[in-house]
Amino acid sequence: MSSSSDNPFVRFTAFWWALGVFSLFGVLLLVTKLFTSDTEESNPLEEAAAAKRYEMRTTVDAAQAAGLGYKEVEKGKVVQVPPTVVFKHVGETLLAGKPEAVKQDTQIIPGGSAVKTGGDADYGAVDKLTPAADTPVDPAAMEAGKAAFMICMACHGANGEGGPVGPPLANNPTVAGPVSNLIRIQFRGLTGPIHVGDKEMNFPAPMMPVIAAQDDAYIANVLTYVRNSFGNKAGPVLPEQVKMLRSEIGKAVLTEADLIKH
Ligand code: HEC
């Protein structure tokens, strides 16, 4: 008896089966190539754009690594620089830059050489309009204010608790105090030292950003939110109060002495 592999007929069929399967793969490969050919074809415009994106990404990565956050302390050992050091550097660079005049007041950087003086608005008239502390607050204003607070959160904390680069807004008498102070801070920034209650605070650099380019409702809403969150309860801020103080935009950065006492 011989085994089936010795059988010439079995060998012959096996050969043709193998050849058949092999050619099937060949045909499949050809078909796939045909259908994918146009996506694989190189597109010079897309390649140029990709190269540009890559180049930009490399530049941004390098700039961030150099200026923001990370430092090689010894060969192969990279540590994160504390945020206070980074903010101090950014603040000092901005101030030292003293940007030149620009056409719109909203673009003047407090501390720059284009700063306006004089022409004080009637702050008292603005504060007289503030509704009483127990006035119901419009839920839509709170919702919009909460969304806007996302930028403030970075420095003042998600719950207004404060941190290394911003004072607490919770349980802070300035926040519950005259509305004109708060609006002017949004328009001109504020530089320390400041007092929260009787605690003196010194932040690394004047970091309170100016959001003068935002409209009246945006600024009113974010301040209304801050005055009615984190345990604070104070009258809402009205867009018309913000409007009355637009002439503040472009003036020098505020210090605590410029604010109305409370
Ligand atoms: C980059 C950090 C940063 C961001 C973002 C920021 N602030 Fe400030 N804010 C500060 C610092 C720092 C001070 C204190 C000023 C100082 O001492 O230089 C301050 C002060 C204030 C004060 C006055 C507090 C006091 O006790 O005098 C209010 C009110 C305030 N910020 C509200 C806001 C609101 C509202 C936003 C968002 C629209 C915001 N801040 C975004 C850093 C920041």
Side-chain angles (χ1 to χ4, degrees), residues 151-152 155-156 165 167 172 174 182 186 190-192 203 207-209:
I151 40 163
C152 324
C155 299
H156 292 291
V165 289
N172 178 334
T174 303
L182 304 180
Q186 300 304 314
L190 177 68
T191 183
F203 290 95
M207 283 308 301
M208 178 56 210

Side-chain angles (χ1 to χ4, degrees), residues 121-137:
D122 186 349
Y123 307 137
V126 172
D127 290 326
K128 263 198 215 115
L129 296 177
T130 310
D134 56 2
T135 309
V137 180

Side-chain angles (χ1 to χ4, degrees), residues 7-87:
N7 181 330
F9 181 70
V10 171
R11 279 190 180 191
F12 185 73
T13 348
F15 170 77
W16 285 109
W17 266 110
L19 195 67
V21 170
F22 186 74
S23 333
L24 203 67
F25 273 113
V27 169
L28 274 178
L29 202 69
L30 201 73
V31 169
T32 353
K33 262 252 172 305
L34 273 179
F35 281 99
T36 55
S37 63
D38 43 3
T39 50
E40 274 179 13
E41 208 169 76
S42 69
N43 175 344
L45 274 183
E46 181 48 42
E47 263 171 28
K52 201 76 210 152
R53 281 199 298 272
Y54 185 74
E55 187 189 310
M56 193 117 81
R57 178 70 201 266
T58 316
T59 318
V60 169
D61 282 353
Q64 284 187 341
L68 278 179
Y70 297 92
K71 211 176 192 166
E72 191 168 26
V73 281
E74 57 188 73
K75 189 102 190 86
K77 188 170 179 230
V78 176
V79 294
Q80 191 167 13
V81 179
T84 45
V85 176
V86 177
F87 281 121

Side-chain angles (χ1 to χ4, degrees), residues 76-153:
K77 188 170 179 230
V78 176
V79 294
Q80 191 167 13
V81 179
T84 45
V85 176
V86 177
F87 281 121
K88 189 167 191 297
H89 170 78
V90 173
E92 281 168 357
T93 312
L94 270 179
L95 273 190
K98 298 245 179 282
E100 266 317 309
V102 273
K103 291 198 186 68
Q104 292 172 20
D105 284 350
T106 44
Q107 294 173 348
I108 295 175
I109 303 206
S113 50
V115 154
K116 291 197 307 191
T117 49
D120 286 349
D122 186 349
Y123 307 137
V126 172
D127 290 326
K128 263 198 215 115
L129 296 177
T130 310
D134 56 2
T135 309
V137 180
D138 177 11
M142 282 295 276
E143 205 50 47
K146 186 177 182 180
F149 189 73
M150 294 286 169
I151 40 163
C152 324
M153 225 163 87

Side-chain angles (χ1 to χ4, degrees), residues 166-231:
L169 298 180
N171 200 11
N172 178 334
T174 303
V175 171
V179 159
S180 63
N181 286 344
L182 304 180
I183 298 171
R184 291 170 70 214
I185 290 172
Q186 300 304 314
F187 282 156
R188 296 173 57 177
L190 177 68
T191 183
I194 61 162
H195 292 80
V196 177
D198 26 313
K199 199 171 164 206
E200 182 174 298
M201 296 190 154
N202 281 287
F203 290 95
M207 283 308 301
M208 178 56 210
V210 171
I211 56 168
Q214 299 293 351
D215 64 25
D216 298 340
Y218 180 101
I219 295 174
N221 291 342
V222 75
L223 292 174
T224 296
Y225 174 77
V226 166
R227 279 163 69 85
N228 290 281
S229 305
F230 333 124

